PDB file of all heavy atoms in Angstrom:
ATOM      1  N   PHE V 108     -16.297 -10.531  20.130  1.00  0.00           N
ATOM      2  CA  PHE V 108     -15.945 -10.072  21.484  1.00  0.00           C
ATOM      3  C   PHE V 108     -16.917 -10.630  22.526  1.00  0.00           C
ATOM      4  O   PHE V 108     -16.507 -11.152  23.554  1.00  0.00           O
ATOM      5  CB  PHE V 108     -15.972  -8.539  21.568  1.00  0.00           C
ATOM      6  CG  PHE V 108     -14.644  -7.881  21.289  1.00  0.00           C
ATOM      7  CD1 PHE V 108     -14.485  -7.039  20.209  1.00  0.00           C
ATOM      8  CD2 PHE V 108     -13.555  -8.112  22.118  1.00  0.00           C
ATOM      9  CE1 PHE V 108     -13.258  -6.431  19.953  1.00  0.00           C
ATOM     10  CE2 PHE V 108     -12.327  -7.505  21.881  1.00  0.00           C
ATOM     11  CZ  PHE V 108     -12.182  -6.661  20.783  1.00  0.00           C
ATOM     12  N   GLN V 109     -18.213 -10.491  22.244  1.00  0.00           N
ATOM     13  CA  GLN V 109     -19.205 -10.941  23.227  1.00  0.00           C
ATOM     14  C   GLN V 109     -19.114 -12.443  23.465  1.00  0.00           C
ATOM     15  O   GLN V 109     -19.196 -12.911  24.599  1.00  0.00           O
ATOM     16  CB  GLN V 109     -20.613 -10.569  22.769  1.00  0.00           C
ATOM     17  CG  GLN V 109     -20.905  -9.084  22.947  1.00  0.00           C
ATOM     18  CD  GLN V 109     -22.172  -8.646  22.233  1.00  0.00           C
ATOM     19  OE1 GLN V 109     -23.088  -9.432  22.045  1.00  0.00           O
ATOM     20  NE2 GLN V 109     -22.202  -7.394  21.807  1.00  0.00           N
ATOM     21  N   ALA V 110     -18.939 -13.204  22.395  1.00  0.00           N
ATOM     22  CA  ALA V 110     -18.877 -14.658  22.534  1.00  0.00           C
ATOM     23  C   ALA V 110     -17.651 -15.069  23.357  1.00  0.00           C
ATOM     24  O   ALA V 110     -17.732 -15.973  24.205  1.00  0.00           O
ATOM     25  CB  ALA V 110     -18.855 -15.332  21.168  1.00  0.00           C
ATOM     26  N   ALA V 111     -16.517 -14.402  23.152  1.00  0.00           N
ATOM     27  CA  ALA V 111     -15.309 -14.745  23.911  1.00  0.00           C
ATOM     28  C   ALA V 111     -15.504 -14.419  25.394  1.00  0.00           C
ATOM     29  O   ALA V 111     -15.127 -15.197  26.274  1.00  0.00           O
ATOM     30  CB  ALA V 111     -14.102 -13.994  23.355  1.00  0.00           C
ATOM     31  N   ASP V 112     -16.133 -13.281  25.662  1.00  0.00           N
ATOM     32  CA  ASP V 112     -16.401 -12.851  27.028  1.00  0.00           C
ATOM     33  C   ASP V 112     -17.370 -13.838  27.711  1.00  0.00           C
ATOM     34  O   ASP V 112     -17.173 -14.246  28.865  1.00  0.00           O
ATOM     35  CB  ASP V 112     -17.032 -11.452  26.940  1.00  0.00           C
ATOM     36  CG  ASP V 112     -16.785 -10.612  28.180  1.00  0.00           C
ATOM     37  OD1 ASP V 112     -16.056 -11.062  29.075  1.00  0.00           O
ATOM     38  OD2 ASP V 112     -17.339  -9.505  28.243  1.00  0.00           O
ATOM     39  N   PHE V 113     -18.395 -14.241  26.963  1.00  0.00           N
ATOM     40  CA  PHE V 113     -19.369 -15.233  27.436  1.00  0.00           C
ATOM     41  C   PHE V 113     -18.679 -16.565  27.762  1.00  0.00           C
ATOM     42  O   PHE V 113     -18.899 -17.150  28.831  1.00  0.00           O
ATOM     43  CB  PHE V 113     -20.427 -15.427  26.343  1.00  0.00           C
ATOM     44  CG  PHE V 113     -21.389 -16.562  26.574  1.00  0.00           C
ATOM     45  CD1 PHE V 113     -22.593 -16.353  27.235  1.00  0.00           C
ATOM     46  CD2 PHE V 113     -21.106 -17.848  26.126  1.00  0.00           C
ATOM     47  CE1 PHE V 113     -23.482 -17.397  27.443  1.00  0.00           C
ATOM     48  CE2 PHE V 113     -21.990 -18.898  26.328  1.00  0.00           C
ATOM     49  CZ  PHE V 113     -23.183 -18.667  26.996  1.00  0.00           C
ATOM     50  N   LEU V 114     -17.848 -17.047  26.849  1.00  0.00           N
ATOM     51  CA  LEU V 114     -17.143 -18.317  27.075  1.00  0.00           C
ATOM     52  C   LEU V 114     -16.352 -18.253  28.374  1.00  0.00           C
ATOM     53  O   LEU V 114     -16.369 -19.185  29.185  1.00  0.00           O
ATOM     54  CB  LEU V 114     -16.162 -18.611  25.933  1.00  0.00           C
ATOM     55  CG  LEU V 114     -16.743 -19.008  24.574  1.00  0.00           C
ATOM     56  CD1 LEU V 114     -15.614 -19.180  23.554  1.00  0.00           C
ATOM     57  CD2 LEU V 114     -17.559 -20.292  24.677  1.00  0.00           C
ATOM     58  N   MET V 115     -15.666 -17.127  28.601  1.00  0.00           N
ATOM     59  CA  MET V 115     -14.847 -16.988  29.807  1.00  0.00           C
ATOM     60  C   MET V 115     -15.700 -16.981  31.063  1.00  0.00           C
ATOM     61  O   MET V 115     -15.361 -17.620  32.056  1.00  0.00           O
ATOM     62  CB  MET V 115     -14.004 -15.721  29.725  1.00  0.00           C
ATOM     63  CG  MET V 115     -12.869 -15.813  28.726  1.00  0.00           C
ATOM     64  SD  MET V 115     -11.791 -17.248  29.005  1.00  0.00           S
ATOM     65  CE  MET V 115     -11.273 -16.917  30.694  1.00  0.00           C
ATOM     66  N   ASP V 116     -16.815 -16.243  31.031  1.00  0.00           N
ATOM     67  CA  ASP V 116     -17.700 -16.192  32.202  1.00  0.00           C
ATOM     68  C   ASP V 116     -18.219 -17.592  32.556  1.00  0.00           C
ATOM     69  O   ASP V 116     -18.232 -17.976  33.726  1.00  0.00           O
ATOM     70  CB  ASP V 116     -18.903 -15.281  31.919  1.00  0.00           C
ATOM     71  CG  ASP V 116     -18.623 -13.824  32.271  1.00  0.00           C
ATOM     72  OD1 ASP V 116     -17.574 -13.554  32.875  1.00  0.00           O
ATOM     73  OD2 ASP V 116     -19.459 -12.973  31.945  1.00  0.00           O
ATOM     74  N   TYR V 117     -18.645 -18.329  31.546  1.00  0.00           N
ATOM     75  CA  TYR V 117     -19.210 -19.655  31.808  1.00  0.00           C
ATOM     76  C   TYR V 117     -18.144 -20.665  32.196  1.00  0.00           C
ATOM     77  O   TYR V 117     -18.349 -21.490  33.093  1.00  0.00           O
ATOM     78  CB  TYR V 117     -20.055 -20.132  30.613  1.00  0.00           C
ATOM     79  CG  TYR V 117     -21.480 -19.699  30.784  1.00  0.00           C
ATOM     80  CD1 TYR V 117     -21.865 -18.384  30.527  1.00  0.00           C
ATOM     81  CD2 TYR V 117     -22.439 -20.567  31.318  1.00  0.00           C
ATOM     82  CE1 TYR V 117     -23.160 -17.954  30.756  1.00  0.00           C
ATOM     83  CE2 TYR V 117     -23.728 -20.148  31.547  1.00  0.00           C
ATOM     84  CZ  TYR V 117     -24.101 -18.854  31.267  1.00  0.00           C
ATOM     85  OH  TYR V 117     -25.383 -18.435  31.513  1.00  0.00           O
ATOM     86  N   LEU V 118     -17.028 -20.584  31.513  1.00  0.00           N
ATOM     87  CA  LEU V 118     -15.921 -21.483  31.811  1.00  0.00           C
ATOM     88  C   LEU V 118     -15.481 -21.349  33.269  1.00  0.00           C
ATOM     89  O   LEU V 118     -15.171 -22.323  33.942  1.00  0.00           O
ATOM     90  CB  LEU V 118     -14.795 -21.058  30.880  1.00  0.00           C
ATOM     91  CG  LEU V 118     -13.746 -22.038  30.504  1.00  0.00           C
ATOM     92  CD1 LEU V 118     -13.248 -21.668  29.111  1.00  0.00           C
ATOM     93  CD2 LEU V 118     -12.632 -21.945  31.494  1.00  0.00           C
ATOM     94  N   LYS V 119     -15.498 -20.107  33.750  1.00  0.00           N
ATOM     95  CA  LYS V 119     -15.032 -19.838  35.112  1.00  0.00           C
ATOM     96  C   LYS V 119     -15.916 -20.477  36.179  1.00  0.00           C
ATOM     97  O   LYS V 119     -15.415 -20.913  37.206  1.00  0.00           O
ATOM     98  CB  LYS V 119     -14.988 -18.319  35.347  1.00  0.00           C
ATOM     99  CG  LYS V 119     -13.570 -17.869  35.569  1.00  0.00           C
ATOM    100  CD  LYS V 119     -13.367 -16.462  35.954  1.00  0.00           C
ATOM    101  CE  LYS V 119     -12.056 -16.325  36.703  1.00  0.00           C
ATOM    102  NZ  LYS V 119     -10.900 -16.843  35.988  1.00  0.00           N
ATOM    103  N   SER V 120     -17.208 -20.529  35.922  1.00  0.00           N
ATOM    104  CA  SER V 120     -18.131 -21.001  36.968  1.00  0.00           C
ATOM    105  C   SER V 120     -18.848 -22.303  36.639  1.00  0.00           C
ATOM    106  O   SER V 120     -19.568 -22.831  37.474  1.00  0.00           O
ATOM    107  CB  SER V 120     -19.211 -19.951  37.240  1.00  0.00           C
ATOM    108  OG  SER V 120     -18.661 -18.706  37.455  1.00  0.00           O
ATOM    109  N   ARG V 121     -18.699 -22.790  35.410  1.00  0.00           N
ATOM    110  CA  ARG V 121     -19.474 -23.965  35.022  1.00  0.00           C
ATOM    111  C   ARG V 121     -18.645 -25.135  34.492  1.00  0.00           C
ATOM    112  O   ARG V 121     -19.192 -26.171  34.141  1.00  0.00           O
ATOM    113  CB  ARG V 121     -20.512 -23.582  33.950  1.00  0.00           C
ATOM    114  CG  ARG V 121     -21.644 -22.694  34.464  1.00  0.00           C
ATOM    115  CD  ARG V 121     -22.558 -23.435  35.427  1.00  0.00           C
ATOM    116  NE  ARG V 121     -23.671 -22.619  35.879  1.00  0.00           N
ATOM    117  CZ  ARG V 121     -23.662 -21.907  37.003  1.00  0.00           C
ATOM    118  NH1 ARG V 121     -22.584 -21.898  37.773  1.00  0.00           N
ATOM    119  NH2 ARG V 121     -24.725 -21.212  37.348  1.00  0.00           N
ATOM    120  N   ALA V 122     -17.339 -24.949  34.413  1.00  0.00           N
ATOM    121  CA  ALA V 122     -16.492 -26.061  33.967  1.00  0.00           C
ATOM    122  C   ALA V 122     -15.727 -26.584  35.186  1.00  0.00           C
ATOM    123  O   ALA V 122     -15.209 -25.806  35.982  1.00  0.00           O
ATOM    124  CB  ALA V 122     -15.530 -25.596  32.888  1.00  0.00           C
ATOM    125  N   PRO V 123     -15.691 -27.900  35.367  1.00  0.00           N
ATOM    126  CA  PRO V 123     -15.139 -28.478  36.597  1.00  0.00           C
ATOM    127  C   PRO V 123     -13.614 -28.467  36.666  1.00  0.00           C
ATOM    128  O   PRO V 123     -12.959 -29.495  36.471  1.00  0.00           O
ATOM    129  CB  PRO V 123     -15.707 -29.904  36.600  1.00  0.00           C
ATOM    130  CG  PRO V 123     -15.959 -30.227  35.168  1.00  0.00           C
ATOM    131  CD  PRO V 123     -16.297 -28.920  34.487  1.00  0.00           C
ATOM    132  N   PHE V 124     -13.087 -27.271  36.942  1.00  0.00           N
ATOM    133  CA  PHE V 124     -11.658 -27.094  37.201  1.00  0.00           C
ATOM    134  C   PHE V 124     -11.520 -26.472  38.581  1.00  0.00           C
ATOM    135  O   PHE V 124     -12.350 -25.628  38.968  1.00  0.00           O
ATOM    136  CB  PHE V 124     -11.025 -26.123  36.194  1.00  0.00           C
ATOM    137  CG  PHE V 124     -10.937 -26.643  34.798  1.00  0.00           C
ATOM    138  CD1 PHE V 124     -11.881 -26.270  33.847  1.00  0.00           C
ATOM    139  CD2 PHE V 124      -9.905 -27.486  34.422  1.00  0.00           C
ATOM    140  CE1 PHE V 124     -11.792 -26.736  32.541  1.00  0.00           C
ATOM    141  CE2 PHE V 124      -9.810 -27.954  33.119  1.00  0.00           C
ATOM    142  CZ  PHE V 124     -10.756 -27.590  32.172  1.00  0.00           C
ATOM    143  N   TRP V 125     -10.478 -26.865  39.294  1.00  0.00           N
ATOM    144  CA  TRP V 125     -10.185 -26.266  40.604  1.00  0.00           C
ATOM    145  C   TRP V 125      -8.709 -25.977  40.687  1.00  0.00           C
ATOM    146  O   TRP V 125      -7.876 -26.833  40.380  1.00  0.00           O
ATOM    147  CB  TRP V 125     -10.597 -27.223  41.728  1.00  0.00           C
ATOM    148  CG  TRP V 125     -12.047 -27.535  41.662  1.00  0.00           C
ATOM    149  CD1 TRP V 125     -13.066 -26.820  42.198  1.00  0.00           C
ATOM    150  CD2 TRP V 125     -12.645 -28.648  40.957  1.00  0.00           C
ATOM    151  NE1 TRP V 125     -14.275 -27.413  41.881  1.00  0.00           N
ATOM    152  CE2 TRP V 125     -14.048 -28.528  41.125  1.00  0.00           C
ATOM    153  CE3 TRP V 125     -12.156 -29.723  40.220  1.00  0.00           C
ATOM    154  CZ2 TRP V 125     -14.943 -29.436  40.576  1.00  0.00           C
ATOM    155  CZ3 TRP V 125     -13.035 -30.628  39.665  1.00  0.00           C
ATOM    156  CH2 TRP V 125     -14.423 -30.480  39.844  1.00  0.00           C
ATOM    157  N   LYS V 126      -8.409 -24.733  41.133  1.00  0.00           N
ATOM    158  CA  LYS V 126      -7.013 -24.310  41.227  1.00  0.00           C
ATOM    159  C   LYS V 126      -6.527 -24.366  42.672  1.00  0.00           C
ATOM    160  O   LYS V 126      -7.198 -23.872  43.583  1.00  0.00           O
ATOM    161  CB  LYS V 126      -6.887 -22.852  40.755  1.00  0.00           C
ATOM    162  CG  LYS V 126      -7.186 -22.623  39.293  1.00  0.00           C
ATOM    163  CD  LYS V 126      -6.734 -21.211  38.894  1.00  0.00           C
ATOM    164  CE  LYS V 126      -7.056 -20.900  37.447  1.00  0.00           C
ATOM    165  NZ  LYS V 126      -8.230 -20.016  37.329  1.00  0.00           N
TER     166      LYS V 126
END
Side-chain angles (χ1 to χ4, degrees):
Chain V
F108 268 117
Q109 285 168 28
D112 207 5
F113 171 92
L114 289 177
M115 288 306 302
D116 272 351
Y117 270 78
L118 204 150
K119 245 187 155 54
S120 310
R121 291 292 183 266
F124 291 99
W125 301 274
K126 294 192 182 104

